[in-house]
Amino acid sequence: MKNVNLILVLSLFISNVIFGQNTFTLTSNDLGGESTKTQEFNGFGCSGDNQSPQLSWKNAPKETKSFAITMYDPDAPTGSGFWHWVVFDIPSNVNELVTNAGNTKLNLAPKTAIQSLTDYGIKGFGGPCPPKNHGFHQYIITVYALKTDKLGLNENINPAVVGFNLWNQTLAKASIVAYYKR
């Protein structure tokens, strides 16, 4: 019996190591494989609710001092994609943003979090709004575990500058992709 228990314990340990059960992971209770009218932008010809999805993450590196979140559409017909959400300076003890935390008027995001400009020219969440008949666009939502507690940027900074600073400070990152078309 002792040999069977030892084999069972070793099997569980090896499967954790081999299958990466403890990797940095991002999930959402609000998103499946596609966005909905709930997340769709309200403007630019779209009439959605513009609610950012609930997001949670786990297994960040121990050295993590803060988090950042971005939502990016590489399929936008702009030549450079489209940034829909940029949030940074999320404290390291936070592992979730609630539904609609991207609405800066509701104060649902952590107090120290900064929601800077999107490519819509607004601060906070700007949901999907691909051109009609342009097919599915992919919306890549990424959480970054950072090696600094503050990026030293403000809410008026553009997404490209935030992206450069994220690249320089990232310990780990995890993403989910949701698709949307009109």
Side-chain angles (χ1 to χ4, degrees):
M1 188 66 172
K2 286 183 181 180
N3 285 343
V4 170
N5 286 339
L6 179 61
I7 290 170
L8 179 61
V9 167
L10 284 173
S11 296
L12 289 171
F13 174 76
I14 290 170
S15 70
N16 256 358
V17 171
I18 292 174
F19 297 110
Q21 297 298 316
N22 294 318
T23 62
F24 189 36
T25 304
L26 175 63
T27 59
S28 175
N29 294 330
D30 295 341
L31 289 176
E34 293 184 359
S35 291
T36 67
K37 281 290 231 187
T38 301
Q39 290 85 39
E40 184 185 80
F41 190 63
N42 191 333
F44 277 55
C46 289
S47 59
D49 296 332
N50 198 45
Q51 288 187 9
S52 61
Q54 178 275 345
L55 299 171
S56 57
W57 52 94
K58 63 182 179 180
N59 300 321
K62 290 185 187 333
E63 309 84 7
T64 301
K65 293 185 180 174
S66 70
F67 296 101
I69 294 173
T70 62
M71 185 168 116
Y72 176 71
D73 172 6
D75 301 317
T78 63
S80 61
F82 199 92
W83 292 98
H84 288 264
W85 198 17
V86 181
V87 188
F88 52 91
D89 293 354
I90 301 168
S92 63
N93 64 344
V94 172
N95 66 355
E96 177 182 26
L97 290 184
V98 298
T99 301
N100 216 12
N103 183 332
T104 58
K105 294 175 183 164
L106 297 179
N107 296 316
L108 296 174
K111 294 200 183 308
T112 61
I114 296 173
Q115 300 195 56
S116 67
L117 291 173
T118 67
D119 283 338
Y120 286 120
I122 63 168
K123 297 168 189 159
F125 182 77
C129 183
K132 284 185 179 179
N133 303 315
H134 201 255
F136 282 103
H137 283 217
Q138 55 186 326
Y139 296 88
I140 304 167
I141 301 171
T142 303
V143 61
Y144 301 80
L146 304 175
K147 53 188 170 184
T148 185
D149 60 339
K150 304 268 187 216
L151 285 182
L153 304 172
N154 66 43
E155 65 185 4
N156 297 311
I157 201 77
N158 71 55
V161 174
V162 176
F164 175 80
N165 283 270
L166 291 177
W167 172 82
N168 194 37
Q169 296 294 330
T170 298
L171 294 167
K173 61 183 180 175
S175 298
I176 57 177
V177 177
Y179 295 89
Y180 196 66
K181 74 174 183 174
R182 293 191 312 134

